[in-house]
Amino acid sequence: MNKKKWSASIAVLLCAGGLFAISAVVVPNLVNSAVVTKGSAAAQNDLRLTLPESTVPVLKVAAPVPVSTVDDYLRKNMNKELMEQIYDSLSKAPEPTVVGGQDQTESELNLRTKRQWVLEDQYEYDGLRPQKPLPFEAGQGDLYLDLKTNTLYVPDRTWTDEELLQLIDWNYRQASAASLRFPEKPVLPQKYSESKFIMRAVESVRKLYDADVSKMQMATNLRKAEYGFPSQWWVYFSPYKERTMRGQGQEVWNYHVIIDTETGVVVDTTAVNLAAIRTPIDEAAAKSVQKDPSWIKEAIRIVKDKQGEQRKIAKAYLTDTVVNNKRGMVAVDVL
């Protein structure tokens, strides 16, 4: 790719209240070109940032942050026999066949999912456990798992908290066993340290969304080069006890950043709000967008003011309108 000429795809939502721009749900390919230079001032900044008030909801977590109680619990309550049972179950299929539950309406299923989110946070952080483990035979409960056929039988009624906890507990046991049997691959050699990639991710989120992620939970994943894609660092920021917040109907924002491991360039910074609902843009609204220059002006403002682009903007235009109208978004290519 010509380094002197490339495009940044900016995504903004068409909303009834006007232009939400960056404060709305943003799809991938929001490219950040600001933090690219090795040893730049941005890379030297401390992770503990002092930021102005933001229009983007940011969770303020009081110290101490939640600490998981799961690993210690599973180490004390996982024997060799159970591990072999889990391995045998996983060898049949990654996911069990589910039987039952046909009488549950969509609203009932949604309510159960929200209850499960809250209980899972209590399981992970607060030490809440089921009174008994998930049964493996019929007659011991309406919810049970047949390990021989890897079939999960579920009740045709509202689940109890105990049943939800039994399934949560089993899922964590499976994940723990799988991690022991298939340990993580060694980290690939790279030019920059993980801490430097994290700094760049933090800075990218701050620049684009005015969001302070220093009090959010962070996870990183180094993805090796494959299928024609280069090696990349993926950095995720999410609120602590996010599942509880979503289960209680609160608005939750996550931030995902992708960085090229060879160049250190931040190639993608995405804000995600899973509670947001996109409305497809109808024909009349699409014509209005085509005639309204403010969409392109806003995209240029983001590239120049938020991303710090110094070079002259040669061209900016709406792109992939047919596809994006269906997705409920307006995308602008800025060259």
Side-chain angles (χ1 to χ4, degrees), residues 242-261:
E242 174 191 359
R243 289 168 297 215
T244 297
M245 297 174 66
R246 292 178 61 195
Q248 294 174 345
Q250 298 182 51
E251 187 174 47
V252 179
W253 286 85
N254 293 272
Y255 303 96
H256 300 168
V257 183
I258 302 176
I259 308 173
D260 186 284
T261 57

Side-chain angles (χ1 to χ4, degrees), residues 275-296:
I277 300 175
R278 290 184 187 169
T279 302
I281 302 173
D282 60 27
E283 186 175 351
K287 290 180 179 179
S288 177
V289 170
Q290 290 280 352
K291 297 177 182 178
D292 185 357
S294 65
W295 295 93
I296 292 177

Side-chain angles (χ1 to χ4, degrees), residues 182-190 221-224 233:
F182 307 105
E184 295 182 4
K185 297 180 180 179
V187 176
L188 303 173
Q190 53 192 309
N221 183 18
L222 176 58
R223 302 203 170 191
K224 67 177 183 179
W233 267 105

Side-chain angles (χ1 to χ4, degrees), residues 13-16 24-25 251 273-280 327-329:
L13 284 184
L14 177 68
C15 306
V25 174
E251 187 174 47
N273 178 357
L274 297 177
I277 300 175
R278 290 184 187 169
T279 302
R327 300 170 70 186
M329 62 168 257

Side-chain angles (χ1 to χ4, degrees), residues 113-121 243-244 246-247:
T113 299
K114 291 181 179 180
R115 287 173 55 216
Q116 183 168 336
W117 286 337
V118 175
L119 288 170
E120 188 168 349
D121 268 348
R243 289 168 297 215
T244 297
R246 292 178 61 195

Side-chain angles (χ1 to χ4, degrees), residues 10 14 27 39 86 102 109 125 172 217 219 221 284 298 301 316 330:
I10 302 299
L14 177 68
V27 297
I86 292 175
Q102 289 88 349
L109 289 173
Y125 296 115
Y172 272 83
Q217 186 170 253
N221 183 18
E298 177 65 7
R301 185 193 71 81
V330 175

